[in-house]
Amino acid sequence: MRLVPATRGIVTADDMSRMKPSGMAAVDVYDSEPLTDASDPLLALDNVVCTPHIGYVTRDEYELHFADIFDQIVAWAAGAPINVINPEALARQGQL
């Protein structure tokens, strides 16, 4: 879903509060992008995975983005994640 005036705020705090306690959420669109503020409350939640939003890039940029993403997946699988904004979240999960 694209972030446009009609979709801004479509998922509310009330919506999120109705999630099951065991529920997980994956988020890739934020009020302020790119999400690089390590103190953002979303990054402190153990049940939320925040990924970069890569919409609206050129075809050439996709190659660069996907090469970078591939490197990050390989590093994660090897147990040495890279480009992590909030490494303390991974430490809490025992993943670092």
Side-chain angles (χ1 to χ4, degrees), residues 16-96:
M16 298 296 281
S17 73
R18 289 191 301 243
M19 287 177 59
K20 292 189 237 177
S22 61
M24 298 287 294
V27 182
D28 79 339
V29 177
Y30 312 94
D31 284 336
S32 177
E33 292 195 20
L35 181 61
T36 57
D37 181 1
S39 67
D40 188 289
L42 276 174
L43 298 176
L45 299 172
D46 291 334
N47 62 341
V48 176
V49 174
C50 297
T51 63
H53 183 93
I54 62 166
Y56 306 106
V57 296
T58 67
R59 187 177 301 263
D60 292 338
E61 289 172 320
Y62 270 118
E63 252 185 67
L64 295 171
H65 284 289
F66 286 118
D68 185 49
I69 290 166
F70 181 79
D71 291 344
Q72 291 179 53
I73 291 169
V74 169
W76 177 276
I82 57 174
N83 299 333
V84 177
I85 293 174
N86 58 336
E88 64 281 354
L90 294 177
R92 285 194 310 265
Q93 299 285 329
Q95 297 176 10
L96 268 185

